[in-house]
């Protein structure tokens, strides 16, 4: 089981900005020795999930099959995607849905705006640190105290911008605010120039907890507009998703 987990760590090392990696790079990002990373990478190549030019390795489209069974079994995602598309149509900005996965969030649906607002390309399967994202904070705020304690034991609160919350005290205080007001509002905590607002879907979906958000350039959409214009639309979308899940 430990070996299986290490293999998954190697797959996850091919994140945004690291589509092609050397053995040394993959080992560093996965927290493995170079020899161990090499064995896993060669195994992935033999199985058709990766390929190599002799120096660099990259995943192949076959890797998508690993997540297909999970996503295809989640009929609720169709309702979620519909809600996100409607949000983008109405407000002209990107809308996303994500689930908590360890100390990160994993994107499960997305409706991108015509204009790109993040330097990191986002799509289904993208993982981002929970503590620095609106959806992550919204989901963390729903955790039972014991679950939150386990999160803090495992999390590394890395700094991404001068605004990132990097201490347990600061993040705990933020989560308390979110529990009181019912939404998470993040401004330039993951990436400079990016703001987002998120709400956790009550009860989540069959596969677990879920949050949806909308994001926009901080220079164009301020915190007040996020609350006044985006929040009501998000709340409406959450109600629609929750109702659709109950009927499913």
């Amino acid at each position: 089981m430990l070996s299986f987990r290490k293999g998954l760590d190697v797959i996850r090392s091919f994140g945004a900005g690291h589509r092609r990696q050397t053995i040394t790079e993959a080992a560093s990002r996965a927290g493995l020795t170079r020899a161990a990373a090499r064995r896993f990478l060669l195994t992935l190549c033999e199985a058709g999930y990766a390929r190599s030019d002799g120096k660099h390795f990259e995943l192949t489209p076959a890797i998508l099959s690993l997540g297909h069974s999970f996503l295809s079994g989640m009929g609720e995602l169709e309702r979620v995607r519909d809600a996100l598309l409607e949000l983008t149509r109405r407000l002209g900005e990107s809308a996303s849905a994500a689930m908590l996965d360890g100390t990160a969030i994993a994107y499960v649906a997305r409706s991108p705006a015509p204009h790109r607002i993040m330097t990191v390309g986002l799509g289904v399967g993208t993982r981002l640190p929970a503590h620095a994202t609106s959806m992550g904070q919204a989901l963390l705020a729903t955790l039972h105290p014991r679950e939150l304690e386990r999160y803090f034991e495992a999390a590394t609160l890395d700094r991404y911008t001068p605004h990132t919350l990097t201490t347990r005290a600061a993040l705990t205080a933020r989560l308390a605010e979110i529990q009181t007001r019912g939404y998470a509002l993040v401004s330039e905590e993951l990436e400079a120039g990016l703001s987002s607002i998120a709400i956790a879907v009550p009860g989540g979906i069959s596969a677990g907890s879920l949050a949806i958000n909308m994001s926009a350039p901080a220079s164009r959409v301020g915190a007040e507009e996020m609350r006044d214009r985006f929040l009501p639309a998000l709340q409406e979308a959450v109600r629609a998703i929750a109702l659709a899940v109950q009927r499913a």
Side-chain angles (χ1 to χ4, degrees):
M1 292 301 294
L2 179 59
S3 179
F4 178 72
R5 182 173 180 176
K6 290 179 179 178
L8 292 177
D9 289 338
V10 171
I11 293 174
R12 289 170 175 164
S13 72
F14 289 89
H18 299 277
R19 180 179 175 183
R20 300 178 73 246
Q21 298 186 99
T22 64
I23 293 174
T24 300
E25 290 169 339
S28 176
R29 287 178 53 78
L32 301 173
T33 64
R34 191 178 185 281
R38 179 178 182 275
R39 289 195 299 271
F40 286 117
L41 288 169
L42 291 178
T43 298
L44 288 171
C45 287
E46 291 174 3
Y49 294 123
R51 57 186 169 226
S52 174
D53 60 7
K55 178 179 181 181
H56 293 91
F57 290 80
E58 63 181 347
L59 300 178
T60 68
I63 202 72
L64 297 174
S65 65
L66 299 180
H68 176 72
S69 296
F70 173 76
L71 292 174
S72 63
M74 293 171 61
E76 303 106 318
L77 281 185
E78 290 298 326
R79 279 75 174 185
V80 174
R81 280 190 285 265
D82 289 344
L84 299 182
L85 288 170
E86 177 62 15
L87 286 170
T88 298
R89 186 194 67 79
R90 287 175 56 185
L91 299 173
E93 302 292 350
S94 297
S96 306
M99 304 179 74
L100 197 61
D101 183 16
T103 62
I105 57 168
Y107 279 66
V108 296
R110 181 160 166 79
S111 174
H115 47 274
R116 184 173 178 176
I117 60 175
M118 286 193 72
T119 57
V120 175
L122 296 178
V124 173
T126 297
R127 290 166 55 85
L128 294 175
H131 74 284
T133 58
S134 62
M135 288 190 286
Q137 292 181 12
L139 290 169
L140 290 175
T142 69
L143 295 182
H144 185 278
R146 286 194 296 271
E147 295 175 316
L148 187 59
E149 181 63 31
R150 287 195 290 270
Y151 164 79
F152 278 118
E153 290 175 355
T156 301
L157 305 182
D158 293 327
R159 182 180 298 279
Y160 296 92
T161 76
H163 303 286
T164 309
L165 303 181
T166 58
T167 67
R168 176 168 179 163
L171 184 54
T172 299
R174 172 68 62 77
L175 298 182
E177 293 175 3
I178 294 169
Q179 290 168 351
T180 299
R181 66 192 184 192
Y183 65 91
L185 179 59
V186 165
S187 181
E188 301 187 277
E189 294 180 30
L190 177 67
E191 181 174 315
L194 178 70
S195 293
S196 63
I197 187 168
I199 305 178
V201 177
I205 56 178
S206 61
S209 59
L210 179 81
I212 64 173
N213 88 337
M214 295 204 72
S215 52
S219 60
R220 187 170 70 238
V221 181
E224 183 175 351
E225 183 176 359
M226 282 272 181
R227 287 189 292 265
D228 294 346
R229 194 162 68 95
F230 286 28
L231 181 58
L234 270 178
Q235 292 170 329
E236 182 180 335
V238 164
R239 287 192 293 268
I241 291 170
L243 182 60
V245 170
Q246 290 174 4
R247 292 175 174 174

